[in-house]
Amino acid sequence: MIKQNISHLISVIRCKRNAIKFFKKRGVKFGNNVIIYQPKPGMFSTEPWLVTVGNNVFIGIDVQFLTHDMGTLLFPEKNFVICGNIKVGNNVVIGMGAMIMPGVTIGNNVIIGARSVVTKDISDNSVVAGMPAKIINSFDKYSQKIDLIKCGGNPRYWQSLEEMHKLNPRRKK
């Protein structure tokens, strides 16, 4: 038990120190400019070699990539496990706590909302959210929404990070 705990602790430290290197050693294929926020050793499931991540991908906190279906364990006589590749395209943001299920392909220019469960392929230029994830917007319309906010067209949002940070009471002056 102590040996397992030490082994897990070493994995956590290595994962935090250089997540991309850590996961590449386990078989995940990464493109360029991939950022994983607060990575955890088990986030790419038990078959990490089935996951491919494209270029310019941002993976939020507590995202999970599931490459297998444990339901088959209830049928030991079938001696079968369902596994599936996961492919993430280029220019993708995966929101905090999202879950990507086996066999899913995520297209290019995609935003996945926080806590979404992606059970089916997502086409290029989509914004998806929900459980299960569904298209809620196009990438272009989302870009237009950002432009509107930047111009002050929506008072619910801050127009700049600098303006927002000025209000931080812990900010050093």
Side-chain angles (χ1 to χ4, degrees):
M1 183 67 142
I2 291 174
K3 189 175 181 178
Q4 284 178 325
N5 289 342
I6 291 171
S7 177
H8 177 71
L9 182 60
I10 290 169
S11 289
V12 169
I13 291 167
R14 287 183 176 155
C15 181
K16 298 273 186 210
R17 187 178 299 149
N18 188 335
I20 301 300
K21 180 179 176 183
F22 177 83
F23 292 121
K24 276 185 175 180
K25 281 187 175 182
R26 280 149 184 76
V28 179
K29 294 166 259 342
F30 290 104
N32 298 315
N33 191 36
V34 175
I35 297 175
I36 304 171
Y37 297 93
Q38 296 185 17
K40 294 183 180 173
M43 68 185 288
F44 286 98
S45 199
T46 53
E47 301 84 21
W49 57 90
L50 296 177
V51 180
T52 302
V53 178
N55 300 315
N56 198 37
V57 175
F58 302 88
I59 301 171
I61 299 166
D62 291 332
V63 169
Q64 189 71 43
F65 295 82
L66 296 179
T67 55
H68 62 276
D69 177 354
M70 284 182 55
T72 58
L73 296 175
L74 296 177
F75 306 97
E77 71 281 0
K78 296 184 190 280
N79 193 27
F80 185 73
V81 177
I82 297 173
C83 291
N85 294 330
I86 296 173
K87 183 173 188 270
V88 179
N90 300 318
N91 303 315
V92 174
V93 172
I94 304 174
M96 180 177 88
M99 186 176 296
I100 315 301
M101 301 302 285
V104 168
T105 297
I106 298 168
N108 299 316
N109 302 316
V110 169
I111 299 169
I112 299 171
R115 302 280 182 231
S116 295
V117 178
V118 180
T119 59
K120 296 179 182 168
D121 292 353
I122 300 173
S123 58
D124 292 350
N125 304 307
S126 298
V127 178
V128 302
M131 292 182 195
K134 293 184 176 18
I135 294 175
I136 60 168
N137 213 342
S138 73
F139 193 81
D140 291 337
K141 285 185 180 174
Y142 185 76
S143 177
Q144 291 169 359
K145 177 182 175 182
I146 293 169
D147 290 341
L148 181 66
I149 291 167
K150 282 179 70 176
C151 295
N154 191 330
R156 295 184 310 168
Y157 299 102
W158 294 101
Q159 283 121 19
S160 72
L161 287 174
E162 294 81 20
E163 183 183 333
M164 180 188 63
H165 286 295
K166 285 178 188 175
L167 297 174
N168 183 348
R170 297 185 303 171
R171 181 176 168 256
K172 293 181 182 177
K173 297 184 180 189

